[in-house]
Amino acid sequence: MRRSEVTTTTMMQTRRSAIGTFAAIMTIAGVSPWAGSQARSEQSNGGMPMKHYAMSTRTISDAINTSGLLVVAQWEAKEGQADKVAAILDGFLPEAQKDPGTKLFLIGRGKDNPAQFLFYELFQDEAAFKAHAESAYFKTYIAEQALPLLAKRERTQYTLL
């Protein structure tokens, strides 16, 4: 095999691996990555459902076929606060999805533990992520309302391959 064929094969395997990882994360989050629906009707173990689960009109293929900054966050609400957090995120999510620098923004709620939330955020670049974090909607919904209700918040940033 020539070097260019090896590189192309490696790139294709890496992309397939990334798509497989994305599908696994979405399955864990209880969201089908292949569905284009923005609503989800099933409730999670007695918890209040969030109305907007999937994505904007962009397809997953559109989102991952270019570079970007991927942020994966995990939250756990304080005892008795999970439904309040879900209600806050229900208002936050459509704003985050409309942000021009946002390629993909998904939030899942734990099926076995409704106090857990998983964020899968893909931004155009570092500047888009910074603009998101400094936006009025982020400051209102997240910084002012949601963060005080959390027992745990973890975020990790990744660069797409």
Side-chain angles (χ1 to χ4, degrees):
M1 243 188 210
R2 289 181 299 176
R3 181 179 168 88
S4 63
E5 291 172 335
V6 171
T7 302
T8 302
T9 301
T10 303
M11 287 175 56
M12 289 175 60
Q13 289 171 338
T14 301
R15 183 156 312 255
R16 283 189 196 119
S17 176
I19 292 170
T21 301
F22 175 70
I25 289 169
M26 297 311 299
T27 299
I28 291 167
V31 179
S32 169
W34 315 121
S37 171
Q38 287 197 355
R40 182 176 144 151
S41 60
E42 60 181 79
Q43 292 200 2
S44 42
N45 293 345
M48 187 173 81
M50 291 174 59
K51 293 178 185 171
H52 309 282
Y53 262 80
M55 64 202 107
S56 67
T57 56
R58 299 177 197 122
T59 67
I60 291 171
S61 179
D62 293 338
I64 64 173
N65 280 334
T66 57
S67 63
L69 176 68
L70 175 63
V71 179
V72 178
Q74 295 180 323
W75 287 8
E76 186 161 341
K78 291 178 182 175
E79 183 72 30
Q81 300 299 315
D83 286 343
K84 288 180 185 176
V85 171
I88 292 165
L89 294 176
D90 192 43
F92 167 77
L93 185 58
E95 297 296 323
Q97 290 175 333
K98 286 190 282 187
D99 211 324
T102 301
K103 292 177 159 189
L104 182 67
F105 204 107
L106 303 167
I107 302 174
R109 188 171 185 186
K111 284 185 165 187
D112 294 331
N113 181 354
Q116 293 178 334
F117 298 87
L118 176 71
F119 294 70
Y120 195 86
E121 312 165 8
L122 181 58
F123 297 95
Q124 186 173 336
D125 52 27
E126 191 80 35
F129 174 67
K130 186 177 178 184
H132 163 75
E134 294 175 356
S135 68
Y137 71 86
F138 184 91
K139 289 176 182 175
T140 299
Y141 287 110
I142 303 303
E144 294 173 14
Q145 297 176 21
L147 293 184
L149 304 178
L150 301 182
K152 179 175 118 181
R153 179 187 186 209
E154 297 176 1
R155 290 187 298 181
T156 306
Q157 294 184 7
Y158 300 89
T159 303
L160 291 182
L161 301 177

